[in-house]
Amino acid sequence: MHTEPTAQHRWLHQLVGEWAVVSEYPGPDGKPHRSHGREVVRQLGDLWIVGELEGEMPGGGTMRAMMTIGFDVRKGRFVGSWVGSPMAHMFAYEGELNPSGTRLTLECEGPAMCDPSATDANAGPTAAPALAWYQDVIEIRSRAERRLISSMRGPDGTWTQFMEAILTRTA
């Protein structure tokens, strides 16, 4: 079975390259923390991109992450995944482009990071962490720069930003 690339698949190709990453988020002390990293994004055929990130973690150490994004023509939505070295959870994305084609919004469910002591009431004796909804927005600013905004949805349905990264093309 062969899927012909669509405009959505071709949109993803602009993310291919090497990127310097500067991200800002609350540090372990609650104060704004800035970290640096590097992301390499490559195509997997014409239908998928795969991004590999390496960067500093709050409090020290290195985090490695891998992201995949494609477009599911049957669903009519972007799909993908994100995994990171400090977590055992794989985040499964679904999302869409805004009408102007400058912002890809991806949403997923995962462990509630704001309160790691919270547990899912249905978890029983295993006491699994409570789940929360997350949103990553990839905004194309130019061929040489993009922005990533990560937010978490609160109980009232509003999104609260917890991280912003500026990615600058290096190759």
Side-chain angles (χ1 to χ4, degrees):
M1 179 167 151
H2 178 75
T3 301
E4 290 297 320
T6 65
Q8 292 87 347
H9 295 110
R10 288 186 290 279
W11 186 92
L12 291 169
H13 298 172
Q14 67 190 317
L15 304 177
V16 171
E18 296 180 20
W19 303 84
V21 181
V22 178
S23 55
E24 198 166 288
Y25 45 86
D29 57 2
K31 295 179 183 174
H33 178 78
R34 181 172 280 188
S35 69
H36 298 84
R38 177 177 179 263
E39 183 179 51
V40 177
V41 181
R42 59 185 163 74
Q43 282 182 231
L44 182 62
D46 290 329
L47 305 177
W48 293 91
I49 61 161
V50 177
E52 294 180 66
L53 172 74
E54 184 172 301
E56 304 163 349
M57 286 182 50
T62 300
M63 184 204 50
R64 290 177 180 83
M66 184 169 280
M67 172 189 65
T68 63
I69 307 175
F71 183 77
D72 185 321
V73 294
R74 189 175 49 82
K75 287 183 176 183
R77 294 180 59 79
F78 286 87
V79 295
S81 63
W82 187 94
V83 293
S85 58
M87 307 176 140
H89 183 82
M90 181 178 83
F91 294 83
Y93 285 129
E94 275 201 31
E96 57 191 25
L97 279 176
N98 68 344
S100 66
T102 57
R103 292 170 61 108
L104 173 59
T105 300
L106 299 166
E107 294 182 0
C108 59
E109 190 176 38
M113 289 185 252
C114 66
D115 184 4
S117 65
T119 57
D120 182 345
N122 298 320
T126 60
L131 296 175
W133 278 95
Y134 294 92
Q135 184 180 80
D136 283 344
V137 177
I138 300 169
E139 177 183 45
I140 304 299
R141 292 181 153 182
S142 70
R143 174 162 162 51
E145 184 180 279
R146 61 187 165 103
R147 180 170 76 146
L148 171 67
I149 302 164
S150 295
S151 303
M152 189 172 90
R153 188 170 66 192
D156 65 355
T158 60
W159 292 99
T160 301
Q161 180 178 319
F162 63 85
M163 193 275 301
E164 178 177 357
I166 303 298
L167 294 90
T168 306
R169 186 181 297 277
T170 59

